[in-house]
Amino acid sequence: MSHDITPTASTSPSRGSFVRRRGTTIGLGILLACAVAYGVNGKQDNDTLHAANDALSGDLATVTGQKDDAESRVTTLEREVETYGDRETELEEREDAVAGLEADVAAREKAVTNVEKKIEASQVTDGTWSVGSDVQPGTYRTTDAVDSDCYWKITAGGTNGSDIIENDIPGGGYPVVTVQDGQVFTSARCGTWVKQ
């Protein structure tokens, strides 16, 4: 009995299949090497991205804080503007009130001045006065009781005091005189005379 030891196609690997397996193994190796390299580079890229993200997060927090501070300042300034607006309105109201008071004071001053002028026109002090131009015609009485040294006289106008119409040294009390337009009235040490 003889045995044939020639390998059969089914039992012995062919050169083509060996190359295919070896090529597959090499391909898988290359693929694995690429994956590892990508993983390392990917990890480096990922770490870089995380660091950049952390830096941006810090910047965002800073900017957000600045924004909040700015909004707070804006709110404070808006309140101040409102306060100043209220104060301005109040000031305008006060200015209007002062203007009204100034007008009242001006009117009162005018009234007082008119009264003073009337009083002044209706009062005669010591001196020599032309009736009609210096003093008003009418009846006058002293405001205070006179002493014994009071002297008064009424003279005709244009006579230089030489034409005496009436005169007196009352010696006390509240003397009364009546003067007419064109006459001259002279008072000495009698105080103030007021028109009645």
Side-chain angles (χ1 to χ4, degrees), residues 84-124:
Y84 289 133
D86 293 343
R87 288 181 182 173
E88 185 175 2
T89 301
E90 183 180 334
L91 183 60
E92 288 173 356
E93 290 171 357
R94 287 183 180 183
E95 286 175 349
D96 291 344
V98 167
L101 292 174
E102 286 176 348
D104 289 346
V105 168
R108 287 180 184 180
E109 284 180 352
K110 185 175 181 181
V112 167
T113 300
N114 288 339
V115 168
E116 287 174 345
K117 285 180 180 178
K118 286 180 182 177
I119 290 172
E120 189 177 303
S122 65
Q123 288 184 351
V124 179

Side-chain angles (χ1 to χ4, degrees), residues 24-69:
T24 302
T25 304
I26 291 172
L28 287 174
I30 291 172
L31 186 60
L32 181 62
C34 287
V36 168
Y38 178 76
V40 170
N41 287 339
K43 182 172 182 345
Q44 289 174 347
D45 289 343
N46 196 20
D47 290 345
T48 303
L49 289 174
H50 279 301
N53 188 31
D54 291 343
L56 288 175
S57 294
D59 291 346
L60 177 63
T62 301
V63 170
T64 301
Q66 291 172 346
K67 180 187 84 88
D68 292 344
D69 288 346

Side-chain angles (χ1 to χ4, degrees), residues 158-181:
T159 63
N160 211 12
S162 60
D163 189 4
I164 296 177
I165 297 171
E166 187 178 353
N167 67 345
D168 192 13
I169 301 175
Y174 294 86
V176 176
V177 296
T178 300
V179 293
Q180 297 177 3
D181 198 18

